[in-house]
């Protein structure tokens, strides 16, 4: 009986398609790329419209245009308005040397939208009615505007300092670059003055432009956003590897905000209204910082100069913007005495009158105002200000190193309404002592003169101390039964601010102590204990009188007079260290959400660049062929029948398997011998556990 040929299984075709799924997918993707995506990425060029070779000379372009025009004049050629517009546009673009250079080298064609606009306008009309020329010739020379240019010859010499650079790439024939002149002047002259360097680069410097421009996967140089192109070199960046490109809207406000945030990493200065100024700004500013309010008429974001000042004066002042509205004029006049914008308001100590500056000035004027008003009238005693204020036994007087005796009046208390009232009182005391005129004999008061003289000669300083944050320092000076009303964590709804005066005194023995510290001889126990104290002696007196300015001044004068004229005891001790208080966090740089958006946008741009790469189609097709070949090879190997293998070796074959088994058996035997030779306990009962207890049997003779 004849043997039947087995028919193909009905599941062989689906299994084959499944096995070749990847090659088929790559092949379809390659065809889609070659037939649909690639033609869109490479539309006909203006050279193709005129029927000449790519990068043809101007003379060849003129000859081709004259040939086409002669056909139109004779009536032998088509005279559609759309064709005439494209040919005329290509002729005007490629006969202008600057436009042709930009188009050939960088693919820049910023007026191409005119073709579509004219096609719609003259869709049914005769092309003879089209107004010529289509393109307006622009000659842009920024040197006449006073802008600094940069070239490949002086590029390296420009980057000598650590300042950041903002550079604009332009074309002398670009209409967009010419229109951007006003915004660039505001950016370079008004907004970045003193903050960053700026320069302009013309496309004619092909060597430097090629080095700084973006590059496609094929190596072609291009500008993704066209002209003008803005990019920046951050501080200490001198190569193209670290430059940052601007991808946003070409406006002065957007560019300066990007530069200050992304390049410089400066903190933002936010806007507040009359409803949000107190709860979101004034109430959140730390008590040791000055509050600066900037009134603006335009509502523009803070300039790099303002944001740089906010960073430089971060430990002294907090800045905020307010948009001026005429309907709120009466409110701001009653609250802060602001008449109009622009204006700067400085708010210092609680209860003190705000300092108002009307008008707008340059960078120097603004920084001078901040420098003059960066300190509170009654500064806070902190770890960073104790030496500067002369309120540290390890330091010296503000009057100089040669002053042996000086004083520090300290207002101590927890943050409360009572403390703010006493701060106002101490500010009035300072004002009275500052305005006191010693030269006027008629009004000279012996009860005020000692304190006024010490204050003017900087031997008497004023400060306030947070008794809760600096509790150890506070308890060191306030040693009484009611010290918990002033120092430490609030235990009861009672806050009692106290005024202390500390007398610091140094004598001639300090020089000898310094010499002993620098000596190489070993120190004795008594020397070590003596060196563990502060170099200046301290005497502390607490004020117990009424909280009135004249009484406090008299008390301060008496303390200064006694400290200068009486022979007081010289007592030195170890003062507790001032605790570094947590500084207000500086919110600078780009928010995380914006960073994520920028990364996604950068990834999408990269994908679009690869989609326009003509090598992608052949690469995908090659991948499809290699994958198909690999699948065919693997399937052909699995479908070939393998001869059955037996455990018994054939008599005609060498006895290799037997030899391998013998070698494995010998190795196994050797491992067993090695295991026996290791020292192991004979049984688990040989080692007695630590917590074992012997239990006597019932028949034991032991008691």
């Amino acid at each position: 009986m004849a043997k039947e040929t087995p028919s193909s299984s009905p599941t062989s075709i689906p299994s084959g398609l499944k096995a070749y799924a990847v090659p088929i997918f790559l092949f379809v993707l390659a065809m889609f790329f070659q037939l649909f995506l690639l033609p869109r990425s490479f539309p006909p060029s203006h050279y193709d419209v005129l029927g000449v070779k790519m990068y043809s000379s101007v003379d060849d372009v003129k000859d081709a245009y004259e040939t086409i025009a002669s056909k139109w004049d004779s009536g032998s050629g088509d005279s559609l308005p759309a064709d005439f517009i494209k040919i005329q546009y290509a002729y005007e673009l490629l006969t202008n040397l600057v436009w042709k250079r930009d188009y050939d080298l960088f693919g820049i064609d910023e007026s191409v939208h005119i073709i579509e606009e004219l096609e719609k306008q003259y869709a049914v009309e005769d092309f003879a009615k089209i107004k010529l020329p289509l393109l307006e010739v622009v000659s842009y020379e920024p040197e006449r505007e006073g802008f600094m240019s940069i070239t490949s010859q002086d590029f390296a010499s420009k980057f000598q300092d650590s300042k950041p650079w903002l550079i604009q790439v332009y074309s002398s024939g670009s209409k967009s670059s010419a229109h951007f002149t006003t915004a660039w002047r505001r950016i370079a002259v008004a907004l970045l003055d003193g903050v960053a360097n700026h320069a302009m680069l013309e496309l004619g410097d092909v060597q430097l432009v090629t080095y700084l421009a973006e590059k496609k996967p094929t190596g072609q140089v291009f500008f993704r956003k066209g002209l003008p192109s803005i990019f920046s070199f951050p501080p200490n960046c001198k190569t193209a590897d670290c430059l940052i490109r601007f991808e946003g809207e070409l406006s002065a406000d957007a560019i300066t905000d990007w530069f200050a945030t992304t390049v410089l990493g400066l903190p933002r200065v936010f806007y507040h209204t009359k409803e949000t100024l107190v709860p979101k700004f004034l109430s959140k500013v730390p008590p040791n910082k000055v509050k600066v309010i900037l009134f603006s008429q335009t509502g523009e974001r803070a300039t790099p100069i303002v944001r740089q000042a906010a960073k430089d004066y971060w430990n002294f002042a907090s800045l905020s913007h307010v948009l001026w509205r005429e309907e709120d004029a009466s409110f701001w006049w009653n609250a802060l005495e602001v008449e109009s914008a622009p204006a700067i308001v400085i708010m210092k100590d609680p209860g003190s009158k705000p300092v108002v500056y009307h008008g707008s000035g340059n960078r120097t004027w603004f920084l001078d105002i901040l420098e003059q008003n960066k300190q509170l009238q009654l500064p806070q005693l902190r770890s960073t200000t104790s030496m500067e204020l002369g309120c540290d036994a390890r330091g010296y007087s503000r009057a100089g190193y040669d002053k042996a005796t000086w004083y520090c009046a300290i207002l101590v208390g927890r943050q409360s309404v009572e403390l703010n009232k006493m701060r106002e009182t101490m500010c009035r005391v300072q004002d009275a002592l500052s305005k006191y005129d010693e030269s006027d004999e008629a009004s000279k008061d012996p009860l005020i003169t000692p304190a006024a003289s010490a204050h003017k000669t900087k031997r008497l300083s004023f400060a306030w101390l947070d008794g809760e944050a600096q509790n150890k320092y506070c308890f060191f000076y306030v040693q009484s039964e009611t010290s918990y009303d002033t120092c430490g964590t609030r235990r009861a709804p009672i806050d009692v601010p106290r005024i202390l005066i500390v007398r610091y005194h140094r004598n001639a023995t300090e020089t000898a102590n310094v010499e002993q510290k620098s000596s190489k001889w070993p120190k004795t126990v008594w020397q070590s204990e003596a060196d563990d104290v502060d170099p200046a002696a301290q005497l502390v007196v607490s004020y117990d009188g009424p909280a009135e300015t004249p009484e406090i001044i008299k008390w301060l004068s008496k303390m200064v007079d006694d400290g200068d004229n009486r022979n007081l005891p010289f007592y030195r001790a170890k003062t507790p260290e001032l605790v570094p208080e947590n500084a207000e966090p500086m919110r600078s740089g780009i928010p995380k959400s914006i960073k994520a958006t920028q990364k996604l946008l950068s990834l999408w741009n990269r994908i679009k660049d690869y989609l326009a790469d003509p090598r992608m189609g052949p690469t995908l097709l090659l991948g499809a062929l290699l994958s198909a070949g690999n699948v065919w090879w693997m399937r052909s190997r699995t479908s070939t029948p393998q001869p059955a293998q037996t455990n018994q070796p054939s008599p005609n074959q060498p006895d290799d398997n037997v030899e391998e088994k013998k070698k494995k058996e010998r190795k196994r035997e050797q491992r067993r011998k090695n295991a026996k030779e290791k020292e192991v306990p004979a049984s688990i009962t040989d080692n007695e556990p630590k917590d074992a207890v012997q239990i006597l049997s019932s028949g034991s003779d032991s008691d």
Side-chain angles (χ1 to χ4, degrees):
M1 186 175 179
K3 189 176 181 181
E4 297 180 357
T5 303
S7 61
S8 60
S9 173
T11 59
S12 61
I13 295 178
S15 63
L17 291 176
K18 184 177 180 180
Y20 286 94
V22 174
I24 293 173
F25 174 75
L26 293 177
F27 178 78
V28 172
L29 192 60
M31 293 298 102
F32 176 76
F33 183 86
Q34 288 294 116
L35 299 177
F36 297 98
L37 294 181
L38 197 58
R40 292 185 178 182
S41 302
F42 292 90
S45 66
H46 297 303
Y47 291 97
D48 297 332
V49 172
L50 295 173
V52 295
K53 294 181 179 180
M54 197 70 177
Y55 310 124
S56 296
S57 64
V58 176
D59 294 334
D60 294 339
V61 171
K62 291 181 178 179
D63 294 340
Y65 177 76
E66 292 175 357
T67 302
I68 297 174
S70 62
K71 291 181 181 180
W72 283 346
D73 294 338
S74 62
S76 59
D78 297 332
S79 57
L80 296 176
D83 295 337
F84 174 78
I85 292 171
K86 293 179 181 178
I87 293 172
Q88 182 65 28
Y89 181 90
Y91 169 74
E92 294 184 14
L93 178 72
L94 298 178
T95 52
N96 186 293
L97 296 179
V98 177
W99 293 343
K100 186 177 187 300
R101 177 203 66 189
D102 299 345
Y103 181 73
D104 291 347
L105 297 179
F106 308 105
I108 295 175
D109 186 11
E110 63 182 21
S111 301
V112 69
H113 62 279
I114 295 178
I115 297 177
E116 184 178 354
E117 294 175 359
L118 293 177
E119 285 179 352
K120 293 180 180 179
Q121 183 178 356
Y122 298 98
V124 294
E125 299 182 15
D126 186 7
F127 67 86
K129 297 181 179 180
I130 299 176
K131 297 180 180 180
L132 300 179
L134 301 180
L135 302 178
E136 180 183 356
V137 179
V138 177
S139 180
Y140 177 49
E141 297 180 4
E143 290 81 4
R144 295 182 178 180
E145 303 288 340
F147 299 133
M148 184 175 66
S149 299
I150 190 171
T151 62
S152 55
Q153 286 76 20
D154 60 359
F155 176 74
S157 61
K158 295 286 187 182
F159 290 80
Q160 298 298 328
D161 56 6
S162 59
K163 270 189 176 182
W165 279 82
L166 184 67
I167 298 178
Q168 176 196 167
V169 179
Y170 74 99
S171 173
S172 58
S174 171
K175 191 175 182 180
S176 301
S177 299
H179 289 170
F180 188 66
T181 303
T182 303
W184 181 254
R185 182 184 296 107
R186 172 165 170 75
I187 294 172
V189 178
L191 301 179
L192 295 184
D193 181 30
V195 178
N197 300 320
H198 55 86
M200 300 182 68
L201 173 62
E202 215 277 327
L203 282 183
D205 196 334
V206 179
Q207 180 182 357
L208 184 56
V209 171
T210 303
Y211 173 69
L212 298 176
E214 296 181 81
K215 296 177 180 61
K216 294 183 178 180
T218 57
Q220 181 183 358
V221 179
F222 76 111
F223 293 94
R224 192 180 305 278
K225 296 292 184 179
L227 293 181
S229 178
I230 308 294
F231 59 87
S232 173
F233 286 89
N236 300 314
C237 172
K238 303 182 186 301
T239 63
D241 298 331
C242 53
L243 65 82
I244 304 174
R245 303 185 189 278
F246 176 69
E247 303 288 347
E249 177 190 358
L250 286 174
S251 65
D253 186 50
I255 292 175
T256 51
D257 181 69
W258 162 80
F259 186 80
T261 304
T262 306
V263 180
L264 299 178
L266 299 178
R268 292 186 177 275
V269 179
F270 296 99
Y271 272 83
H272 294 284
T273 62
K274 64 178 183 180
E275 292 81 13
T276 63
L277 184 64
V278 173
K280 292 188 176 181
F281 176 67
L282 296 179
S283 62
K284 293 185 177 182
V285 176
N288 63 295
K289 298 176 71 173
V290 174
K291 308 169 187 67
V292 181
I293 305 174
L294 308 174
F295 285 83
S296 172
Q297 285 181 322
T298 61
E300 289 185 348
R301 283 174 284 200
T303 64
I305 296 175
V306 173
R307 296 174 65 173
Q308 183 67 49
K311 180 180 180 180
D312 295 340
Y313 289 88
W314 187 263
N315 295 326
F316 302 97
S318 293
L319 280 68
S320 174
H321 266 300
V322 171
L323 178 61
W324 176 265
R325 293 188 177 93
E326 291 298 331
E327 56 269 24
D328 299 333
S330 59
F331 173 82
W332 295 120
W333 169 254
N334 295 328
L336 302 174
E337 297 186 0
V338 178
E339 297 179 353
S340 61
I344 303 175
V345 178
I346 310 292
M347 300 180 67
K348 295 186 177 182
D349 301 82
S352 61
K353 185 178 180 181
V355 182
V356 183
Y357 298 87
H358 287 95
S360 60
N362 55 16
R363 174 175 176 269
T364 305
W365 176 78
F366 174 68
L367 295 181
D368 287 343
I369 290 177
L370 290 183
E371 184 65 26
Q372 294 171 8
N373 298 276
K374 70 177 183 179
Q375 295 285 4
L376 295 172
Q377 186 174 358
L378 185 66
Q380 183 181 6
L381 183 58
R382 299 163 59 94
S383 59
T384 56
T385 61
S386 60
M387 290 290 185
E388 181 183 357
L389 295 173
C391 299
D392 198 318
R394 291 174 290 274
Y396 292 86
S397 170
R398 294 170 59 207
Y401 293 161
D402 57 335
K403 299 299 179 181
T405 305
W406 69 98
Y407 307 88
C408 185
I410 306 175
L411 173 63
V412 185
R414 288 188 289 261
Q415 293 287 341
S416 60
V417 177
E418 292 78 7
L419 179 65
N420 290 338
K421 291 181 179 179
M422 286 302 299
R423 287 175 63 182
E424 295 179 30
T425 302
M426 294 301 290
C427 289
R428 290 194 293 270
V429 171
Q430 279 187 284
D431 288 337
L433 293 178
S434 300
K435 295 176 182 179
Y436 180 76
D437 188 7
E438 298 182 43
S439 60
D440 189 0
E441 296 293 338
S443 60
K444 193 172 183 179
D445 188 350
L447 299 179
I448 302 177
T449 301
S453 176
H455 181 58
K456 290 183 178 180
T457 57
K458 297 183 178 181
R459 289 197 308 120
L460 174 60
S461 302
F462 290 84
W464 71 275
L465 180 75
D466 189 340
E468 183 175 3
Q470 306 290 347
N471 51 15
K472 292 184 179 180
Y473 196 89
C474 182
F475 282 122
F476 178 78
Y477 287 117
V478 183
Q479 299 181 6
S480 64
E481 297 178 354
T482 59
S483 58
Y484 285 98
D485 297 340
T486 305
C487 307
T489 306
R490 184 178 285 104
R491 300 184 178 183
I494 300 175
D495 292 294
V496 181
R498 298 174 185 269
I499 301 175
L500 310 175
I501 185 169
V502 183
R503 174 186 179 269
Y504 301 97
H505 181 70
R506 287 175 177 261
N507 58 13
T509 58
E510 177 62 22
T511 304
N513 291 338
V514 173
E515 293 178 355
Q516 289 180 2
K517 290 180 181 180
S518 60
S519 176
K520 296 182 180 180
W521 294 99
K523 299 179 181 180
T524 63
V525 176
W526 297 275
Q527 287 176 332
S528 300
E529 292 179 354
D531 293 342
D532 197 31
V533 297
D534 297 329
Q538 301 179 74
L539 288 178
V540 183
V541 182
S542 176
Y543 176 70
D544 296 329
E548 297 178 0
T549 303
E551 297 299 326
I552 295 175
I553 293 176
K554 292 178 181 179
W555 173 76
L556 290 174
S557 295
K558 185 176 186 306
M559 294 298 103
V560 172
D561 184 64
D562 291 345
D564 290 343
N565 300 317
R566 295 179 60 184
N567 186 17
L568 300 176
F570 186 81
Y571 174 75
R572 296 193 303 166
K574 180 66 176 177
T575 309
E577 297 283 346
L578 286 166
V579 179
E581 299 182 17
N582 295 329
E584 184 183 8
M586 183 184 297
R587 296 178 295 274
S588 60
I590 309 174
K592 293 183 179 180
S593 58
I594 299 179
K595 281 186 178 180
T597 304
Q598 291 179 349
K599 288 183 179 179
L600 291 176
L601 181 61
S602 177
L603 179 61
W604 173 241
N605 290 334
R606 201 64 181 166
I607 292 174
K608 289 194 298 184
D609 293 341
Y610 278 105
L611 290 178
D613 190 348
R615 300 172 299 180
M616 288 298 296
T619 302
L620 293 173
L621 184 58
L622 178 61
L625 294 176
L626 292 176
S627 179
N630 182 60
V631 172
W632 175 83
W633 172 254
M634 297 299 295
R635 286 172 62 86
S636 63
R637 289 188 61 186
T638 55
S639 62
T640 303
Q642 298 292 337
Q645 296 181 359
T646 59
N647 294 331
Q648 298 295 333
S650 62
N652 298 329
Q653 293 178 349
D655 200 9
D656 296 337
N657 294 337
V658 176
E659 292 296 331
E660 291 180 0
K661 288 183 178 180
K662 290 182 178 180
K663 289 181 180 180
K664 291 181 180 179
E665 186 64 28
R666 286 196 294 268
K667 290 181 179 179
R668 193 179 297 111
E669 185 66 25
Q670 185 65 30
R671 285 198 296 269
R672 283 198 295 265
K673 290 181 180 180
N674 294 338
K676 290 180 180 180
E677 292 176 359
K678 291 183 179 179
E679 295 182 0
V680 296
S683 66
I684 62 174
T685 60
D686 291 346
N687 295 332
E688 182 177 306
K690 295 181 179 180
D691 57 346
V693 179
Q694 185 175 0
I695 302 177
L696 299 177
S697 62
S698 59
S700 176
D701 295 336
S702 302
D703 293 333

